[in-house]
Amino acid sequence: MTAALLFDAGLCLLVLVVAFSAVAGRGLFGAIAFFIIYGMLIALAWLRLEGVDVALAEAAIGAGLTGMLLIGAWSMLKQLGVSGLPGGPSVPLRIAAGAVSGLVALALAATVLALPDGREGLSPAVAESLGRSGVDNPVTAVLLNFRAYDTLLESVVLLIALIAVWSLTPRAVWGGVPGLAQHARSDGVLSMFGRLLPPLGLVVAIYLVWAGSSQPGGAFQAGTVLAAVWLLVVMAGLYDEPPASSRNLRLALVAGPGVFLAVGAVGAAFGVFMGIPEGFAKPLILSIEFALTVSIAVTLALLVAGRPRRPA
Amino acid sequence: MSGAGLDSATLFALTGAILIGIGVYGFIVHAHLLRRILAFNVIGSGIFLMFGALGFRGAGNGTDPVPQALIITGIVVALSLTALAVALLVKLAEEEGGATLPEEQPGRGEAE
């Protein structure tokens, strides 16, 4: 018990030091590198809290994809010559910011310590209804059954974010190919991984969706794995991004929310809109999850690739 | 793997509180917008850690599934926001030749 506590205290200290390096470090690129390490350490903290679903999402999305986005932005800003600023923040600003952020942290810490013990939370309520949800993983039950509204709206938020990113496209390349053309040596390490890893990633992704009904995993984690595989293939120069005007691409984008809404409509026929009918819960949830996985993968990959930059 | 004890959960919740503070610090001191986006993500994961750790129910029982589901939703929404913010920032840099807000560029704030 004390060994575990010691490990956790060390982990917390490491998380804080790395987070501070990511926020206050001098160079922009170094800060991003620290941020990715920070994401991995946070995933470790989630493992310690036995939130494996969150740990998977944090490692894949929080550290991996966010890190890729930041590195991509850094390289574009570097080409434009604005990846850094001359001189750091002034000392009075640092002192003022330190005081404000210190107060925020103190107030939050005091709130954490002031909470009463023996909080039940919602886990008894989830455990009670789990048998009727159609799945055994309580997190999946919450995401796709008890709070299906949230998840539907979340998949729509992803779609709207992509539309917003695309809306920054200049007229000349509207509906064109996202991102810049990638060149990699065909006998290089990147190309080799680009050919080697996709089959493995595909198997892992399908397993994550399927296992998500009874164990940690699910559409978001699996979708991120698929998106990462596709980004690797594009970076290795093996295939290029499809044009944003492609009809198949757009169908893949709306498939997840579409199937989700259709199941919601079936629920309406049984009495409650977005209520999953009890007898068919497992097949319905799995079909939503597989459709969502495809849409989430395509949306995440395109969000990271950025707006169209080349004509179709 | 044996899970964390209840005291560890408090430790993680307090770490979340300090992470939020660190993120707020970075958000205030940096004028460069990419560093602000990074600080925003640190604030976000600090909030998630604090929220989740407060729902921890002891070793072997895991963390309350409702906060877990909300946090997974939050992680995805934070990524969507980051992607949009990065796209806006790159557009700003292309159009204006800078990665800071106009009022924070030296010598321009006073003119307005």
Side-chain angles (χ1 to χ4, degrees), chain A residues 8 12 23 25-26 38 48-50 82 101 119 122-123 154 168 300 307 309, chain B residues 2-3 8 15 21 30 32 35 45 54 57 60 62-64 76 79 91 94:
Chain A
D8 291 340
C12 286
V23 163
R26 252 171 205 284
Y38 164 75
R48 293 293 300 149
L49 289 167
E50 298 177 26
V82 290
S101 53
R119 303 180 300 276
L122 287 165
S123 44
E154 174 188 7
L168 299 169
L300 288 177
R307 68 171 171 82
R309 294 185 172 270
Chain B
S2 77
S8 292
T15 304
H30 291 301
H32 197 286
R35 302 205 68 151
S45 65
L54 288 175
R57 298 161 302 154
T63 296
D64 196 328
V76 175
L79 177 82
K91 186 80 174 173
E94 284 169 349

PDB file of all heavy atoms in Angstrom, chain A residues 8 12 23 25-26 38 48-50 82 101 119 122-123 154 168 300 307 309, chain B residues 2-3 8 15 21 30 32 35 45 54 57 60 62-64 76 79 91 94:
ATOM      1  N   ASP A   8       2.633   6.540  -6.729  1.00  0.00           N
ATOM      2  CA  ASP A   8       1.680   7.545  -7.198  1.00  0.00           C
ATOM      3  C   ASP A   8       2.193   8.954  -6.945  1.00  0.00           C
ATOM      4  O   ASP A   8       2.043   9.841  -7.787  1.00  0.00           O
ATOM      5  CB  ASP A   8       0.321   7.338  -6.525  1.00  0.00           C
ATOM      6  CG  ASP A   8      -0.356   6.072  -7.006  1.00  0.00           C
ATOM      7  OD1 ASP A   8       0.026   5.593  -8.084  1.00  0.00           O
ATOM      8  OD2 ASP A   8      -1.240   5.559  -6.305  1.00  0.00           O
ATOM      9  N   CYS A  12       2.834  11.714  -9.775  1.00  0.00           N
ATOM     10  CA  CYS A  12       2.211  13.040  -9.737  1.00  0.00           C
ATOM     11  C   CYS A  12       3.274  14.127  -9.877  1.00  0.00           C
ATOM     12  O   CYS A  12       3.090  15.092 -10.628  1.00  0.00           O
ATOM     13  CB  CYS A  12       1.434  13.243  -8.434  1.00  0.00           C
ATOM     14  SG  CYS A  12      -0.107  12.327  -8.397  1.00  0.00           S
ATOM     15  N   VAL A  23       4.602  23.936 -20.562  1.00  0.00           N
ATOM     16  CA  VAL A  23       3.957  25.253 -20.575  1.00  0.00           C
ATOM     17  C   VAL A  23       4.992  26.378 -20.567  1.00  0.00           C
ATOM     18  O   VAL A  23       4.856  27.360 -21.297  1.00  0.00           O
ATOM     19  CB  VAL A  23       3.000  25.367 -19.369  1.00  0.00           C
ATOM     20  CG1 VAL A  23       2.636  26.814 -19.094  1.00  0.00           C
ATOM     21  CG2 VAL A  23       1.744  24.548 -19.629  1.00  0.00           C
ATOM     22  N   GLY A  25       8.542  26.025 -20.900  1.00  0.00           N
ATOM     23  CA  GLY A  25       9.820  25.802 -21.568  1.00  0.00           C
ATOM     24  C   GLY A  25      10.099  26.859 -22.626  1.00  0.00           C
ATOM     25  O   GLY A  25       9.190  27.511 -23.119  1.00  0.00           O
ATOM     26  N   ARG A  26      11.408  27.034 -22.968  1.00  0.00           N
ATOM     27  CA  ARG A  26      11.775  28.127 -23.852  1.00  0.00           C
ATOM     28  C   ARG A  26      11.325  27.914 -25.292  1.00  0.00           C
ATOM     29  O   ARG A  26      10.562  28.703 -25.829  1.00  0.00           O
ATOM     30  CB  ARG A  26      13.292  28.309 -23.832  1.00  0.00           C
ATOM     31  CG  ARG A  26      13.666  29.537 -23.096  1.00  0.00           C
ATOM     32  CD  ARG A  26      15.158  29.631 -22.869  1.00  0.00           C
ATOM     33  NE  ARG A  26      15.413  30.453 -21.708  1.00  0.00           N
ATOM     34  CZ  ARG A  26      15.309  31.782 -21.716  1.00  0.00           C
ATOM     35  NH1 ARG A  26      14.965  32.424 -22.804  1.00  0.00           N
ATOM     36  NH2 ARG A  26      15.533  32.468 -20.619  1.00  0.00           N
ATOM     37  N   TYR A  38       3.917  14.429 -21.498  1.00  0.00           N
ATOM     38  CA  TYR A  38       2.918  14.712 -20.470  1.00  0.00           C
ATOM     39  C   TYR A  38       1.648  13.886 -20.708  1.00  0.00           C
ATOM     40  O   TYR A  38       1.099  13.279 -19.777  1.00  0.00           O
ATOM     41  CB  TYR A  38       2.607  16.223 -20.494  1.00  0.00           C
ATOM     42  CG  TYR A  38       1.357  16.632 -19.792  1.00  0.00           C
ATOM     43  CD1 TYR A  38       1.289  16.663 -18.401  1.00  0.00           C
ATOM     44  CD2 TYR A  38       0.224  16.997 -20.518  1.00  0.00           C
ATOM     45  CE1 TYR A  38       0.137  17.041 -17.763  1.00  0.00           C
ATOM     46  CE2 TYR A  38      -0.933  17.380 -19.886  1.00  0.00           C
ATOM     47  CZ  TYR A  38      -0.982  17.401 -18.504  1.00  0.00           C
ATOM     48  OH  TYR A  38      -2.130  17.771 -17.870  1.00  0.00           O
ATOM     49  N   ARG A  48      -3.528   4.025 -13.147  1.00  0.00           N
ATOM     50  CA  ARG A  48      -3.497   3.898 -11.692  1.00  0.00           C
ATOM     51  C   ARG A  48      -4.892   4.095 -11.101  1.00  0.00           C
ATOM     52  O   ARG A  48      -5.219   3.519 -10.072  1.00  0.00           O
ATOM     53  CB  ARG A  48      -2.526   4.913 -11.076  1.00  0.00           C
ATOM     54  CG  ARG A  48      -1.081   4.647 -11.411  1.00  0.00           C
ATOM     55  CD  ARG A  48      -0.571   3.373 -10.791  1.00  0.00           C
ATOM     56  NE  ARG A  48      -0.672   3.402  -9.338  1.00  0.00           N
ATOM     57  CZ  ARG A  48      -0.868   2.326  -8.586  1.00  0.00           C
ATOM     58  NH1 ARG A  48      -1.002   1.149  -9.153  1.00  0.00           N
ATOM     59  NH2 ARG A  48      -0.953   2.427  -7.286  1.00  0.00           N
ATOM     60  N   LEU A  49      -5.711   4.940 -11.742  1.00  0.00           N
ATOM     61  CA  LEU A  49      -7.072   5.176 -11.259  1.00  0.00           C
ATOM     62  C   LEU A  49      -8.048   4.130 -11.819  1.00  0.00           C
ATOM     63  O   LEU A  49      -9.263   4.256 -11.667  1.00  0.00           O
ATOM     64  CB  LEU A  49      -7.539   6.578 -11.656  1.00  0.00           C
ATOM     65  CG  LEU A  49      -6.849   7.717 -10.887  1.00  0.00           C
ATOM     66  CD1 LEU A  49      -7.124   9.051 -11.563  1.00  0.00           C
ATOM     67  CD2 LEU A  49      -7.352   7.755  -9.446  1.00  0.00           C
ATOM     68  N   GLU A  50      -7.487   3.113 -12.510  1.00  0.00           N
ATOM     69  CA  GLU A  50      -8.284   2.023 -13.087  1.00  0.00           C
ATOM     70  C   GLU A  50      -9.316   2.527 -14.083  1.00  0.00           C
ATOM     71  O   GLU A  50     -10.395   1.949 -14.227  1.00  0.00           O
ATOM     72  CB  GLU A  50      -8.929   1.185 -11.979  1.00  0.00           C
ATOM     73  CG  GLU A  50      -7.883   0.519 -11.100  1.00  0.00           C
ATOM     74  CD  GLU A  50      -8.486  -0.260  -9.956  1.00  0.00           C
ATOM     75  OE1 GLU A  50      -9.637  -0.699 -10.079  1.00  0.00           O
ATOM     76  OE2 GLU A  50      -7.802  -0.431  -8.925  1.00  0.00           O
ATOM     77  N   VAL A  82       7.173  32.296 -38.164  1.00  0.00           N
ATOM     78  CA  VAL A  82       6.570  32.826 -36.936  1.00  0.00           C
ATOM     79  C   VAL A  82       6.458  31.744 -35.865  1.00  0.00           C
ATOM     80  O   VAL A  82       5.511  31.725 -35.087  1.00  0.00           O
ATOM     81  CB  VAL A  82       5.184  33.445 -37.199  1.00  0.00           C
ATOM     82  CG1 VAL A  82       5.323  34.730 -37.977  1.00  0.00           C
ATOM     83  CG2 VAL A  82       4.268  32.486 -37.927  1.00  0.00           C
ATOM     84  N   SER A 101      -2.642  32.183 -11.201  1.00  0.00           N
ATOM     85  CA  SER A 101      -2.777  30.737 -11.387  1.00  0.00           C
ATOM     86  C   SER A 101      -2.588  30.006 -10.059  1.00  0.00           C
ATOM     87  O   SER A 101      -3.230  28.980  -9.820  1.00  0.00           O
ATOM     88  CB  SER A 101      -1.777  30.242 -12.427  1.00  0.00           C
ATOM     89  OG  SER A 101      -0.480  30.670 -12.084  1.00  0.00           O
ATOM     90  N   ARG A 119     -18.736   9.560  -0.745  1.00  0.00           N
ATOM     91  CA  ARG A 119     -19.618   9.932  -1.852  1.00  0.00           C
ATOM     92  C   ARG A 119     -19.929   8.675  -2.651  1.00  0.00           C
ATOM     93  O   ARG A 119     -19.045   7.903  -2.978  1.00  0.00           O
ATOM     94  CB  ARG A 119     -18.934  10.951  -2.765  1.00  0.00           C
ATOM     95  CG  ARG A 119     -18.492  12.214  -2.069  1.00  0.00           C
ATOM     96  CD  ARG A 119     -17.833  13.146  -3.051  1.00  0.00           C
ATOM     97  NE  ARG A 119     -16.655  12.562  -3.681  1.00  0.00           N
ATOM     98  CZ  ARG A 119     -15.438  12.576  -3.143  1.00  0.00           C
ATOM     99  NH1 ARG A 119     -15.248  13.144  -1.971  1.00  0.00           N
ATOM    100  NH2 ARG A 119     -14.424  12.038  -3.774  1.00  0.00           N
ATOM    101  N   LEU A 122     -22.433   7.950  -9.173  1.00  0.00           N
ATOM    102  CA  LEU A 122     -23.475   7.336  -9.989  1.00  0.00           C
ATOM    103  C   LEU A 122     -23.196   5.868 -10.279  1.00  0.00           C
ATOM    104  O   LEU A 122     -23.975   5.219 -10.972  1.00  0.00           O
ATOM    105  CB  LEU A 122     -23.620   8.112 -11.299  1.00  0.00           C
ATOM    106  CG  LEU A 122     -24.306   9.473 -11.141  1.00  0.00           C
ATOM    107  CD1 LEU A 122     -24.099  10.328 -12.378  1.00  0.00           C
ATOM    108  CD2 LEU A 122     -25.792   9.284 -10.882  1.00  0.00           C
ATOM    109  N   SER A 123     -22.073   5.341  -9.734  1.00  0.00           N
ATOM    110  CA  SER A 123     -21.761   3.955 -10.097  1.00  0.00           C
ATOM    111  C   SER A 123     -22.792   2.943  -9.601  1.00  0.00           C
ATOM    112  O   SER A 123     -23.054   1.973 -10.316  1.00  0.00           O
ATOM    113  CB  SER A 123     -20.353   3.589  -9.648  1.00  0.00           C
ATOM    114  OG  SER A 123     -20.092   4.053  -8.361  1.00  0.00           O
ATOM    115  N   GLU A 154     -21.563  14.458 -29.524  1.00  0.00           N
ATOM    116  CA  GLU A 154     -20.111  14.494 -29.629  1.00  0.00           C
ATOM    117  C   GLU A 154     -19.659  14.157 -31.045  1.00  0.00           C
ATOM    118  O   GLU A 154     -18.779  14.814 -31.602  1.00  0.00           O
ATOM    119  CB  GLU A 154     -19.539  13.484 -28.634  1.00  0.00           C
ATOM    120  CG  GLU A 154     -18.059  13.300 -28.705  1.00  0.00           C
ATOM    121  CD  GLU A 154     -17.621  12.141 -27.824  1.00  0.00           C
ATOM    122  OE1 GLU A 154     -18.498  11.436 -27.295  1.00  0.00           O
ATOM    123  OE2 GLU A 154     -16.413  11.942 -27.689  1.00  0.00           O
ATOM    124  N   LEU A 168     -12.206  27.251 -44.023  1.00  0.00           N
ATOM    125  CA  LEU A 168     -11.100  28.200 -44.176  1.00  0.00           C
ATOM    126  C   LEU A 168     -10.383  28.028 -45.516  1.00  0.00           C
ATOM    127  O   LEU A 168      -9.398  28.697 -45.792  1.00  0.00           O
ATOM    128  CB  LEU A 168     -10.088  28.015 -43.033  1.00  0.00           C
ATOM    129  CG  LEU A 168     -10.625  28.261 -41.621  1.00  0.00           C
ATOM    130  CD1 LEU A 168      -9.630  27.798 -40.573  1.00  0.00           C
ATOM    131  CD2 LEU A 168     -10.915  29.739 -41.424  1.00  0.00           C
ATOM    132  N   LEU A 300     -11.215  12.257 -37.626  1.00  0.00           N
ATOM    133  CA  LEU A 300      -9.982  12.590 -36.895  1.00  0.00           C
ATOM    134  C   LEU A 300      -8.808  12.735 -37.857  1.00  0.00           C
ATOM    135  O   LEU A 300      -8.028  13.684 -37.764  1.00  0.00           O
ATOM    136  CB  LEU A 300      -9.669  11.511 -35.852  1.00  0.00           C
ATOM    137  CG  LEU A 300     -10.561  11.452 -34.616  1.00  0.00           C
ATOM    138  CD1 LEU A 300     -10.154  10.293 -33.722  1.00  0.00           C
ATOM    139  CD2 LEU A 300     -10.510  12.749 -33.842  1.00  0.00           C
ATOM    140  N   ARG A 307      -6.993  21.783 -43.634  1.00  0.00           N
ATOM    141  CA  ARG A 307      -7.864  22.148 -44.747  1.00  0.00           C
ATOM    142  C   ARG A 307      -7.229  21.760 -46.083  1.00  0.00           C
ATOM    143  O   ARG A 307      -6.010  21.568 -46.168  1.00  0.00           O
ATOM    144  CB  ARG A 307      -8.127  23.645 -44.728  1.00  0.00           C
ATOM    145  CG  ARG A 307      -6.914  24.482 -45.044  1.00  0.00           C
ATOM    146  CD  ARG A 307      -7.323  25.923 -45.227  1.00  0.00           C
ATOM    147  NE  ARG A 307      -6.177  26.808 -45.329  1.00  0.00           N
ATOM    148  CZ  ARG A 307      -5.492  27.011 -46.450  1.00  0.00           C
ATOM    149  NH1 ARG A 307      -5.811  26.334 -47.547  1.00  0.00           N
ATOM    150  NH2 ARG A 307      -4.485  27.853 -46.472  1.00  0.00           N
ATOM    151  N   ARG A 309      -5.339  21.972 -49.455  1.00  0.00           N
ATOM    152  CA  ARG A 309      -4.280  22.893 -49.880  1.00  0.00           C
ATOM    153  C   ARG A 309      -3.879  22.684 -51.330  1.00  0.00           C
ATOM    154  O   ARG A 309      -3.085  23.437 -51.864  1.00  0.00           O
ATOM    155  CB  ARG A 309      -3.033  22.711 -49.000  1.00  0.00           C
ATOM    156  CG  ARG A 309      -3.271  23.127 -47.579  1.00  0.00           C
ATOM    157  CD  ARG A 309      -2.039  23.068 -46.718  1.00  0.00           C
ATOM    158  NE  ARG A 309      -2.384  23.673 -45.434  1.00  0.00           N
ATOM    159  CZ  ARG A 309      -2.236  24.975 -45.193  1.00  0.00           C
ATOM    160  NH1 ARG A 309      -1.761  25.770 -46.103  1.00  0.00           N
ATOM    161  NH2 ARG A 309      -2.591  25.470 -44.023  1.00  0.00           N
TER     162      ARG A 309
ATOM    163  N   SER B   2      -2.212  -3.947  -9.119  1.00  0.00           N
ATOM    164  CA  SER B   2      -3.084  -3.515  -8.037  1.00  0.00           C
ATOM    165  C   SER B   2      -3.405  -2.049  -8.209  1.00  0.00           C
ATOM    166  O   SER B   2      -2.604  -1.265  -8.697  1.00  0.00           O
ATOM    167  CB  SER B   2      -2.403  -3.742  -6.687  1.00  0.00           C
ATOM    168  OG  SER B   2      -1.440  -2.733  -6.461  1.00  0.00           O
ATOM    169  N   GLY B   3      -4.603  -1.667  -7.804  1.00  0.00           N
ATOM    170  CA  GLY B   3      -5.045  -0.315  -8.073  1.00  0.00           C
ATOM    171  C   GLY B   3      -4.549   0.669  -7.037  1.00  0.00           C
ATOM    172  O   GLY B   3      -3.875   0.315  -6.073  1.00  0.00           O
ATOM    173  N   SER B   8      -4.308   7.886  -2.740  1.00  0.00           N
ATOM    174  CA  SER B   8      -3.722   8.186  -4.031  1.00  0.00           C
ATOM    175  C   SER B   8      -4.710   8.971  -4.881  1.00  0.00           C
ATOM    176  O   SER B   8      -4.320   9.878  -5.618  1.00  0.00           O
ATOM    177  CB  SER B   8      -3.337   6.899  -4.752  1.00  0.00           C
ATOM    178  OG  SER B   8      -2.286   6.277  -4.074  1.00  0.00           O
ATOM    179  N   THR B  15      -3.217  16.896  -7.912  1.00  0.00           N
ATOM    180  CA  THR B  15      -2.355  17.101  -9.078  1.00  0.00           C
ATOM    181  C   THR B  15      -3.153  17.768 -10.201  1.00  0.00           C
ATOM    182  O   THR B  15      -2.662  18.691 -10.865  1.00  0.00           O
ATOM    183  CB  THR B  15      -1.799  15.745  -9.562  1.00  0.00           C
ATOM    184  OG1 THR B  15      -1.126  15.127  -8.474  1.00  0.00           O
ATOM    185  CG2 THR B  15      -0.829  15.934 -10.707  1.00  0.00           C
ATOM    186  N   GLY B  21      -3.786  25.107 -12.627  1.00  0.00           N
ATOM    187  CA  GLY B  21      -3.031  26.326 -12.335  1.00  0.00           C
ATOM    188  C   GLY B  21      -1.886  26.534 -13.318  1.00  0.00           C
ATOM    189  O   GLY B  21      -1.704  27.636 -13.850  1.00  0.00           O
ATOM    190  N   HIS B  30       1.949  33.635 -22.216  1.00  0.00           N
ATOM    191  CA  HIS B  30       2.413  33.510 -23.595  1.00  0.00           C
ATOM    192  C   HIS B  30       1.539  34.290 -24.557  1.00  0.00           C
ATOM    193  O   HIS B  30       0.318  34.176 -24.521  1.00  0.00           O
ATOM    194  CB  HIS B  30       2.431  32.039 -24.018  1.00  0.00           C
ATOM    195  CG  HIS B  30       3.488  31.252 -23.323  1.00  0.00           C
ATOM    196  ND1 HIS B  30       4.820  31.575 -23.405  1.00  0.00           N
ATOM    197  CD2 HIS B  30       3.415  30.165 -22.522  1.00  0.00           C
ATOM    198  CE1 HIS B  30       5.523  30.724 -22.685  1.00  0.00           C
ATOM    199  NE2 HIS B  30       4.690  29.860 -22.120  1.00  0.00           N
ATOM    200  N   HIS B  32       2.268  33.950 -27.884  1.00  0.00           N
ATOM    201  CA  HIS B  32       2.227  33.068 -29.058  1.00  0.00           C
ATOM    202  C   HIS B  32       1.015  32.143 -28.946  1.00  0.00           C
ATOM    203  O   HIS B  32       0.858  31.431 -27.952  1.00  0.00           O
ATOM    204  CB  HIS B  32       3.523  32.258 -29.143  1.00  0.00           C
ATOM    205  CG  HIS B  32       3.752  31.644 -30.487  1.00  0.00           C
ATOM    206  ND1 HIS B  32       3.049  30.557 -30.916  1.00  0.00           N
ATOM    207  CD2 HIS B  32       4.571  31.988 -31.508  1.00  0.00           C
ATOM    208  CE1 HIS B  32       3.446  30.241 -32.141  1.00  0.00           C
ATOM    209  NE2 HIS B  32       4.371  31.102 -32.520  1.00  0.00           N
ATOM    210  N   ARG B  35       1.283  28.343 -28.208  1.00  0.00           N
ATOM    211  CA  ARG B  35       1.564  28.028 -26.803  1.00  0.00           C
ATOM    212  C   ARG B  35       0.304  28.166 -25.962  1.00  0.00           C
ATOM    213  O   ARG B  35       0.129  27.458 -24.972  1.00  0.00           O
ATOM    214  CB  ARG B  35       2.669  28.934 -26.277  1.00  0.00           C
ATOM    215  CG  ARG B  35       3.936  28.799 -27.113  1.00  0.00           C
ATOM    216  CD  ARG B  35       5.141  29.152 -26.350  1.00  0.00           C
ATOM    217  NE  ARG B  35       5.404  28.187 -25.299  1.00  0.00           N
ATOM    218  CZ  ARG B  35       6.616  27.917 -24.838  1.00  0.00           C
ATOM    219  NH1 ARG B  35       7.658  28.524 -25.340  1.00  0.00           N
ATOM    220  NH2 ARG B  35       6.791  27.061 -23.865  1.00  0.00           N
ATOM    221  N   SER B  45      -6.785  18.669 -19.514  1.00  0.00           N
ATOM    222  CA  SER B  45      -6.489  17.352 -18.946  1.00  0.00           C
ATOM    223  C   SER B  45      -6.404  17.437 -17.423  1.00  0.00           C
ATOM    224  O   SER B  45      -6.675  16.448 -16.740  1.00  0.00           O
ATOM    225  CB  SER B  45      -5.222  16.757 -19.564  1.00  0.00           C
ATOM    226  OG  SER B  45      -4.113  17.536 -19.226  1.00  0.00           O
ATOM    227  N   LEU B  54     -11.835  12.251  -8.392  1.00  0.00           N
ATOM    228  CA  LEU B  54     -12.843  12.418  -7.342  1.00  0.00           C
ATOM    229  C   LEU B  54     -13.914  11.324  -7.417  1.00  0.00           C
ATOM    230  O   LEU B  54     -14.644  11.098  -6.457  1.00  0.00           O
ATOM    231  CB  LEU B  54     -13.500  13.799  -7.450  1.00  0.00           C
ATOM    232  CG  LEU B  54     -12.604  14.968  -7.033  1.00  0.00           C
ATOM    233  CD1 LEU B  54     -13.297  16.290  -7.278  1.00  0.00           C
ATOM    234  CD2 LEU B  54     -12.211  14.834  -5.574  1.00  0.00           C
ATOM    235  N   ARG B  57     -13.329   4.889  -6.632  1.00  0.00           N
ATOM    236  CA  ARG B  57     -14.049   4.206  -5.545  1.00  0.00           C
ATOM    237  C   ARG B  57     -13.217   3.147  -4.854  1.00  0.00           C
ATOM    238  O   ARG B  57     -13.741   2.179  -4.332  1.00  0.00           O
ATOM    239  CB  ARG B  57     -15.320   3.574  -6.107  1.00  0.00           C
ATOM    240  CG  ARG B  57     -16.296   4.576  -6.679  1.00  0.00           C
ATOM    241  CD  ARG B  57     -17.270   3.895  -7.602  1.00  0.00           C
ATOM    242  NE  ARG B  57     -16.560   3.226  -8.670  1.00  0.00           N
ATOM    243  CZ  ARG B  57     -17.024   2.179  -9.332  1.00  0.00           C
ATOM    244  NH1 ARG B  57     -18.186   1.658  -9.022  1.00  0.00           N
ATOM    245  NH2 ARG B  57     -16.330   1.635 -10.297  1.00  0.00           N
ATOM    246  N   GLY B  60      -9.661  -1.925  -7.107  1.00  0.00           N
ATOM    247  CA  GLY B  60     -10.502  -3.044  -7.508  1.00  0.00           C
ATOM    248  C   GLY B  60     -11.880  -2.624  -7.991  1.00  0.00           C
ATOM    249  O   GLY B  60     -12.552  -3.370  -8.697  1.00  0.00           O
ATOM    250  N   GLY B  62     -12.378   0.581  -9.434  1.00  0.00           N
ATOM    251  CA  GLY B  62     -12.208   1.494 -10.558  1.00  0.00           C
ATOM    252  C   GLY B  62     -12.812   2.862 -10.310  1.00  0.00           C
ATOM    253  O   GLY B  62     -13.188   3.204  -9.190  1.00  0.00           O
ATOM    254  N   THR B  63     -12.880   3.629 -11.395  1.00  0.00           N
ATOM    255  CA  THR B  63     -13.410   4.982 -11.325  1.00  0.00           C
ATOM    256  C   THR B  63     -14.848   4.970 -11.819  1.00  0.00           C
ATOM    257  O   THR B  63     -15.187   4.214 -12.732  1.00  0.00           O
ATOM    258  CB  THR B  63     -12.523   5.914 -12.184  1.00  0.00           C
ATOM    259  OG1 THR B  63     -11.222   5.946 -11.615  1.00  0.00           O
ATOM    260  CG2 THR B  63     -13.070   7.325 -12.231  1.00  0.00           C
ATOM    261  N   ASP B  64     -15.688   5.776 -11.204  1.00  0.00           N
ATOM    262  CA  ASP B  64     -17.097   5.918 -11.582  1.00  0.00           C
ATOM    263  C   ASP B  64     -17.244   5.995 -13.109  1.00  0.00           C
ATOM    264  O   ASP B  64     -16.608   6.826 -13.742  1.00  0.00           O
ATOM    265  CB  ASP B  64     -17.634   7.207 -10.922  1.00  0.00           C
ATOM    266  CG  ASP B  64     -19.160   7.235 -10.922  1.00  0.00           C
ATOM    267  OD1 ASP B  64     -19.747   6.680 -11.865  1.00  0.00           O
ATOM    268  OD2 ASP B  64     -19.738   7.796  -9.987  1.00  0.00           O
ATOM    269  N   VAL B  76     -12.345  14.074 -26.749  1.00  0.00           N
ATOM    270  CA  VAL B  76     -12.618  14.183 -28.184  1.00  0.00           C
ATOM    271  C   VAL B  76     -13.007  15.623 -28.545  1.00  0.00           C
ATOM    272  O   VAL B  76     -12.558  16.171 -29.564  1.00  0.00           O
ATOM    273  CB  VAL B  76     -13.713  13.182 -28.596  1.00  0.00           C
ATOM    274  CG1 VAL B  76     -14.088  13.373 -30.044  1.00  0.00           C
ATOM    275  CG2 VAL B  76     -13.248  11.767 -28.361  1.00  0.00           C
ATOM    276  N   LEU B  79      -9.978  17.783 -28.646  1.00  0.00           N
ATOM    277  CA  LEU B  79      -9.208  17.613 -29.885  1.00  0.00           C
ATOM    278  C   LEU B  79      -9.868  18.395 -31.021  1.00  0.00           C
ATOM    279  O   LEU B  79      -9.181  19.049 -31.807  1.00  0.00           O
ATOM    280  CB  LEU B  79      -9.094  16.140 -30.256  1.00  0.00           C
ATOM    281  CG  LEU B  79      -8.348  15.973 -31.580  1.00  0.00           C
ATOM    282  CD1 LEU B  79      -6.849  16.039 -31.370  1.00  0.00           C
ATOM    283  CD2 LEU B  79      -8.730  14.738 -32.318  1.00  0.00           C
ATOM    284  N   LYS B  91      -4.119  30.014 -40.565  1.00  0.00           N
ATOM    285  CA  LYS B  91      -4.728  30.996 -41.470  1.00  0.00           C
ATOM    286  C   LYS B  91      -4.295  32.413 -41.067  1.00  0.00           C
ATOM    287  O   LYS B  91      -3.942  33.233 -41.923  1.00  0.00           O
ATOM    288  CB  LYS B  91      -6.253  30.863 -41.381  1.00  0.00           C
ATOM    289  CG  LYS B  91      -7.020  31.710 -42.365  1.00  0.00           C
ATOM    290  CD  LYS B  91      -7.043  31.051 -43.716  1.00  0.00           C
ATOM    291  CE  LYS B  91      -7.938  31.813 -44.678  1.00  0.00           C
ATOM    292  NZ  LYS B  91      -7.817  31.243 -46.031  1.00  0.00           N
ATOM    293  N   GLU B  94      -0.799  32.998 -42.115  1.00  0.00           N
ATOM    294  CA  GLU B  94      -0.677  33.189 -43.565  1.00  0.00           C
ATOM    295  C   GLU B  94      -1.146  34.572 -43.995  1.00  0.00           C
ATOM    296  O   GLU B  94      -0.556  35.200 -44.866  1.00  0.00           O
ATOM    297  CB  GLU B  94      -1.493  32.114 -44.296  1.00  0.00           C
ATOM    298  CG  GLU B  94      -0.822  30.752 -44.306  1.00  0.00           C
ATOM    299  CD  GLU B  94      -1.745  29.636 -44.780  1.00  0.00           C
ATOM    300  OE1 GLU B  94      -2.975  29.871 -44.902  1.00  0.00           O
ATOM    301  OE2 GLU B  94      -1.246  28.537 -45.028  1.00  0.00           O
TER     302      GLU B  94
END
